[in-house]
Amino acid sequence: EEVTPSGTVAPLYDASFPNENIGYVVGNSGTILKSQDGGKNWNTQNSGITTDLLGVEFLTTDFGFAVGRSGKILRTTDGGNTWVSKNSTTTILLSDIKILKDSSVWITGTNRLLFSSNAGEDWSQKGAFNNITAIDFSYSDTCIVFYDFGSKFSTTTDGGNTWLTKSLPSVIANE
């Protein structure tokens, strides 16, 4: 397996490849790198911040988000040539992003979910969960969240306005 140097010494935390050639990675001190050749070469993008970025997600090669510490949300609509800071209304650590085909966006953070129905222009809290471990969607209004280190999950079918919470059964390993 071939290892390609990124050209940075900053720790990198997440990657998003909207197609086989275009890819983005994020890391410490506002680091954003972009590849246009499937990860063989990487170029630094100007994030305009020094906050650590922990998550990145692109819906298309042009439209994407990066999130990180202190409630930082960055959005690009031009393939990362410019990154615009968006007001998350929080200062918590943000770590993961899901962009749906209708341009609604969900972001996981320390003990809560943020939601935008308008491509990241405005944000609202859509649930408070301890230690979120995973989130997934079947439609923009139907979501499942695993939390409390994977021991519980909640589902919504109305875009996060109401949640149904369940505990996962304990699994006993055979000896």
Side-chain angles (χ1 to χ4, degrees):
E1 187 173 319
E2 184 179 332
V3 176
T4 303
S6 67
T8 183
V9 296
L12 302 173
Y13 298 112
D14 197 17
S16 178
F17 277 77
N19 69 29
E20 66 278 358
N21 292 315
I22 307 295
Y24 301 85
V25 295
V26 295
N28 273 10
S29 303
T31 298
I32 301 176
L33 305 175
K34 179 180 181 179
S35 175
Q36 297 184 38
D37 58 10
K40 293 182 181 119
N41 296 289
W42 294 93
N43 296 307
T44 302
Q45 294 197 305
N46 183 6
S47 69
I49 63 168
T50 57
T51 306
D52 295 347
L53 295 171
L54 305 174
V56 63
E57 183 71 19
F58 275 74
L59 179 63
T60 67
T61 57
D62 289 328
F63 180 66
F65 290 85
V67 297
R69 298 187 189 281
S70 304
K72 186 53 72 180
I73 299 174
L74 299 177
R75 182 181 74 180
T76 184
T77 57
D78 62 6
N81 292 320
T82 55
W83 289 90
V84 177
S85 184
K86 293 297 178 181
N87 183 2
S88 69
T89 69
T90 185
T91 58
I92 64 170
L93 181 144
L94 302 175
S95 58
D96 196 19
I97 311 145
K98 299 291 183 195
I99 308 171
L100 305 180
K101 293 193 187 306
D102 67 356
S103 296
S104 60
V105 186
W106 291 82
I107 294 178
T108 61
T110 305
N111 302 330
R112 70 181 70 165
L113 290 172
L114 299 179
F115 174 74
S116 173
S117 63
N118 57 4
E121 283 298 321
D122 302 297
W123 295 93
S124 61
Q125 182 175 326
K126 286 292 187 174
F129 305 96
N130 292 325
N131 304 305
I132 296 171
T133 53
I135 185 171
D136 206 358
F137 299 87
S138 57
Y139 301 99
S140 62
D141 59 352
T142 303
C143 170
I144 186 167
V145 178
F146 291 90
Y147 59 100
D148 277 349
F149 302 106
S151 67
K152 295 179 183 173
F153 70 95
S154 290
T155 59
T156 183
T157 57
D158 62 5
N161 293 318
T162 60
W163 293 90
L164 176 62
T165 300
K166 299 200 177 212
S167 293
L168 293 174
S170 297
V171 177
I172 300 174
N174 293 332
E175 295 188 62

